[in-house]
Amino acid sequence: YYSILNFSKVFLLFLGKRKELEKNRWHGATYSELEMSKTFFNERIKIKSNGTIPLIYNCISGNIIPRSGFELKVSEIYSNIVSIGAEYDLASTKPCNLLGHIARIERNNHSGHVLKVKVLSKHYMANPPDPKSIPAFVNIKLKFDKATGQYLSQPRFGDFDLVVAQYKSEINRYLISESLERMDIGELWVGYTPVGRSAFNLNEDMNIMLAFFHLSNIVRYNPQHLYKLLDSKYWPLMLGLRKHGFLRFIKLMWGNYIGKSFDLS
């Protein structure tokens, strides 16, 4: 967790946020020991209005957390991390909260240029979510087309490059992770985005940070709770996060800084 926190502080320095960071050196999140005695997925983390974590959230999303802060269930955090999606499905009765998708801006000078979002996640193919519950595209007001199994925008007319720029400005791009962009076949994004209506939508890197924050509190302050997790169905979730989470966090956070997705091979 502290490696992630320090990397995040470097990210903020690169963004020219040194003065803000000086005033927000503490975590900006709390996790009470009392929560550790409850059902694992119902444990809660409170995000405060000040601190490094809220500052990162503001820089990435442009949103500000109110003075009262807000709380998240642990299930809301772990269900939004792609690299442990399979482990989450095994440990929970609910599917992973991430919508795998292909989003493409289709060029049509005659009928109008349309943004099409094709669902790849098996669960959501059978149970298409309300377009209003897909925050990455909520500003575009998509409609689900049963015939094609896709979400479609209203056609937009005019110069294709200008329409593409307009669509891009309306997509909450920070909420789309592991996206591959293929320019040779038009504007295309292949990735994952969270599903759900919330006043505070966190992207995947923020959820990875909070997951490690949660576990660091357990390891440091309540090893007894850790031993319970060792013998529980949740342990594969922890192992998966430890193996994949840190590298994925670095990749996603650096992608935020350079403004594009990339892969490591």
Side-chain angles (χ1 to χ4, degrees):
Y1 165 68
Y2 281 99
S3 295
I4 284 177
L5 185 66
N6 289 331
F7 187 88
S8 300
K9 290 180 177 180
V10 171
F11 168 74
L12 290 170
L13 291 175
F14 275 28
L15 291 178
K17 301 293 181 179
R18 180 168 184 167
K19 288 184 179 180
E20 291 88 339
L21 184 57
E22 288 286 341
K23 299 174 183 177
N24 293 276
R25 290 185 175 184
W26 53 94
H27 303 292
T30 57
Y31 173 61
S32 170
E33 278 193 66
L34 296 174
E35 302 291 345
M36 298 182 189
S37 62
K38 298 180 181 179
T39 304
F40 179 75
F41 278 142
N42 286 335
E43 293 176 9
R44 293 175 180 271
I45 290 176
K46 182 171 183 179
I47 311 298
K48 297 186 174 182
S49 58
N50 295 308
T52 302
I53 293 173
L55 181 58
I56 293 169
Y57 172 75
N58 172 249
C59 290
I60 292 174
S61 70
N63 300 322
I64 297 175
I65 295 173
R67 287 188 178 183
S68 58
F70 73 97
E71 284 191 337
L72 284 168
K73 284 185 179 181
V74 165
S75 59
E76 295 176 83
I77 295 170
Y78 287 89
S79 64
N80 284 300
I81 301 175
V82 170
S83 54
I84 56 172
E87 290 82 356
Y88 180 83
D89 285 348
L90 290 173
S92 173
T93 56
K94 297 180 180 180
C96 185
N97 198 44
L98 290 158
L99 178 76
H101 70 278
I102 298 174
R104 182 181 182 185
I105 302 172
E106 190 172 276
R107 183 171 189 159
N108 191 317
N109 294 326
H110 178 69
S111 302
H113 316 303
V114 176
L115 173 67
K116 296 184 176 181
V117 181
K118 182 180 180 181
V119 178
L120 299 179
S121 302
K122 187 178 294 185
H123 169 74
Y124 288 120
M125 287 174 70
N127 306 277
D130 185 330
K132 293 180 180 178
S133 67
I134 310 176
F137 302 102
V138 72
N139 296 325
I140 299 176
K141 299 179 180 178
L142 300 174
K143 289 187 178 181
F144 186 71
D145 181 42
K146 291 183 180 180
T148 62
Q150 298 183 96
Y151 294 92
L152 307 175
S153 69
Q154 288 293 320
R156 297 187 183 183
F157 298 88
D159 180 80
F160 180 67
D161 291 335
L162 292 177
V163 170
V164 166
Q166 188 180 45
Y167 275 125
K168 282 188 171 183
S169 69
E170 295 173 9
I171 294 172
N172 291 319
R173 183 65 179 79
Y174 75 97
L175 288 171
I176 302 177
S177 59
E178 197 169 307
S179 174
L180 305 176
E181 299 184 19
R182 292 277 304 280
M183 303 302 292
D184 56 318
I185 54 175
E187 295 292 334
L188 176 69
W189 297 272
V190 182
Y192 300 88
T193 190
V195 175
R197 300 184 187 186
S198 172
F200 306 99
N201 294 301
L202 302 180
N203 62 356
E204 189 182 351
D205 13 345
M206 292 293 299
N207 283 302
I208 292 173
M209 171 182 272
L210 290 173
F212 275 105
F213 171 78
H214 170 236
L215 292 178
S216 73
N217 276 271
I218 292 175
V219 171
R220 286 180 294 160
Y221 302 126
N222 199 331
Q224 207 169 18
H225 187 53
L226 176 64
Y227 294 141
K228 289 180 181 178
L229 289 175
L230 282 168
D231 295 325
S232 74
K233 63 180 180 179
Y234 305 111
W235 188 239
L237 200 66
M238 313 295 105
L239 293 177
L241 183 69
R242 185 177 68 177
K243 183 174 182 179
H244 303 290
F246 182 64
L247 179 61
R248 184 162 179 79
F249 174 84
I250 292 175
K251 175 186 167 183
L252 292 171
M253 189 61 77
W254 191 251
N256 285 330
Y257 176 69
I258 63 176
K260 62 173 68 174
S261 299
F262 65 95
D263 210 347
L264 300 173
S265 59

